[in-house]
Amino acid sequence: MKLLIKSVIDKYLEFKQYSNINYTIDYPPEPDFGDYSTNLAMILAKPTKQNPLNIANDFKLYCQQSNFLDKFDIKVEKPGFINFFIGKGLLIQELTSLLEKKRLYFKLNDIVDKKLQIEFVSANPTGPLHIGHGRGAAIGDSLARILSFLGYNVVREYYINDAGYQMHMLGLSTFLRYQELLGINIEFPQDGYQGDYIKDIAEQLLNTYKDKLLKMDNAIDICLDTAKSIIMNDILNDMDHFRVKFDVFFNESSLFKDNEVEGTLELLKEKGYTYEKDSALWLGTTQFGDDKDRVLIKQDGKYTYFASDIAYHKNKFLLRNFDKVIDIWGSDHHGYVQRIKASLEALNIDSQKLVVLLVQFVNLIQENNKISMSTRKANYIELKELIKEIGTDAARFIFVSKSINSHLDINISLLKQHSMDNPVYYIQYAHARIMSILEKSDCNNVFNESLFELLSETEEISLIKAMLQFKDYLHDCAKNLEPYLITKSLLSIAEKLHQFYNKHKVINENKDLSCARIGLVKTVAFVLALGLSLIGVEAKNKM
């Protein structure tokens, strides 16, 4: 519907010879203000030096002459809002089309940047996944599902940071805990890994090697390989339970083995963007908008993480030829975005091809208090603990229920309730309610526009509108990379379904009307199930 309105507005602007007009098409907060609304007249008022009401009425006149008002009713409101009300004829036509086309009804026709990579989670293999990783996982996987469904070629990637100081410290921390289990007094480093999971790994090493590691020169390397393997397996198990799959696992260490880091720095040197200062190698990122230049090789001759990150992104764009790359990072990486984009520009890669989504923090709430569900000493709450507490469906749904840019409070008590106050239950119950109705139906009518013309009750029309708007929300998800719009649409559809069900009998004494309503709720069930699948949540047939 949005695209139809946009096409008419764009034709009006072309007819009036107005260019570069950044108007919006929104969903009004109240039904009295229409199904859609645009600020076009207010935006045009200043450059054209006209009263926005006059512009709005001129647009309405244009729509009359172009027969657009056969599809929408238009009302102009002060100070110049143009409100669109979908005509019943168009509603019935679209409902019939949706029922016939099913998934094809929602596809995009004009896909650009077809080959996409979404890199998400990418937690260091130094500890278990926490709830912050869980939110990034739910958002990344949901975006991948949505974009794939719409027709994009999407690659889901996990970047394993298995090189550098942090990995040495993981091996050392494990070896020290191993020695501790053997009764040796140790001095544990301040920046060592503190979690009890390190002690668990050390116990496994003790069971395997007894005290033999004490006599091995490569003991720390053995501890590192064991810890990394155990932790990555734990991460993959968590992702599997969370219904998240990856197409590619990319090891940071491979960038060094394949000389990609060295080669990338040589290329930057050839381009003249590097320089030496204080016995270190620097990249002049300030030439490309960064607030200061960045170190590539430290005084001790070791590469910085920035150096390998540049090589990694060069690999994405120049070796694997992605049209667009979406990196999903924690909000604490905010300061890192500009330097990466600057490095791409230095490599003559369009930095607009890289989109970085910064996921905000998560808080757990129970009985109005922030809580820690973890019994471990490390300062984090494990994802597996949350899944165990509220289930995968609730966790997946709630993680994508707000904009990526908003902090998220997760009400544990609410999400465990089997009540209509629980948003996940509310939507799943709507689907189950329809399944129960369909089991009782013996309708064998052909679902067509003639049959659907019988749908005229206010609640029926509202339900159709909410369902058809799912297509707009879905396309907005792809455009804005915001999967929370799916949850917003599903809640609206479920609300309208419950309102309709509570006021009207689906199966009644009027056979044709019953079949029209069966066709309606059958389509609603399809849309609910589709929407839930796109965010990794199961549609329930029974509750």
Side-chain angles (χ1 to χ4, degrees), residues 83-114:
N83 299 328
F84 301 85
F85 296 79
I86 308 171
K88 186 182 177 184
L90 180 59
L91 279 179
I92 299 305
Q93 179 183 326
E94 291 295 314
L95 173 61
T96 307
S97 177
L98 169 54
L99 188 59
E100 290 174 352
K101 294 181 180 178
K102 297 263 185 331
R103 297 169 73 91
L104 288 175
Y105 178 82
F106 299 101
K107 298 290 185 178
L108 283 172
N109 298 319
D110 53 346
I111 292 178
V112 294
D113 298 330
K114 287 188 177 182

Side-chain angles (χ1 to χ4, degrees), residues 124-176:
N124 297 337
T126 54
L129 296 180
H130 55 62
I131 58 173
H133 295 131
R135 190 179 188 197
I139 289 169
D141 184 65
S142 295
L143 279 177
R145 290 170 183 245
I146 291 164
L147 293 169
S148 296
F149 170 76
L150 290 174
Y152 290 90
N153 176 11
V154 180
V155 174
R156 300 163 168 88
E157 185 152 310
Y158 190 116
Y159 182 53
I160 303 174
N161 298 99
D162 61 346
Y165 177 76
Q166 63 186 5
M167 298 310 293
H168 168 74
M169 186 51 66
L170 175 64
L172 177 60
S173 299
T174 306
F175 184 52
L176 289 172

Side-chain angles (χ1 to χ4, degrees), residues 189-204:
Q190 251 188 332
D191 55 350
Y193 290 97
Q194 300 285 343
D196 281 357
Y197 65 94
I198 297 293
K199 296 178 183 178
D200 297 339
I201 296 169
E203 283 187 10
Q204 293 188 47

Side-chain angles (χ1 to χ4, degrees), residues 395-412:
R396 290 271 325 211
F397 183 92
I398 206 66
F399 274 136
V400 298
S401 64
K402 278 196 173 183
S403 169
I404 294 168
N405 301 312
S406 300
H407 289 282
L408 177 66
D409 289 337
I410 298 179
N411 189 325
I412 299 297

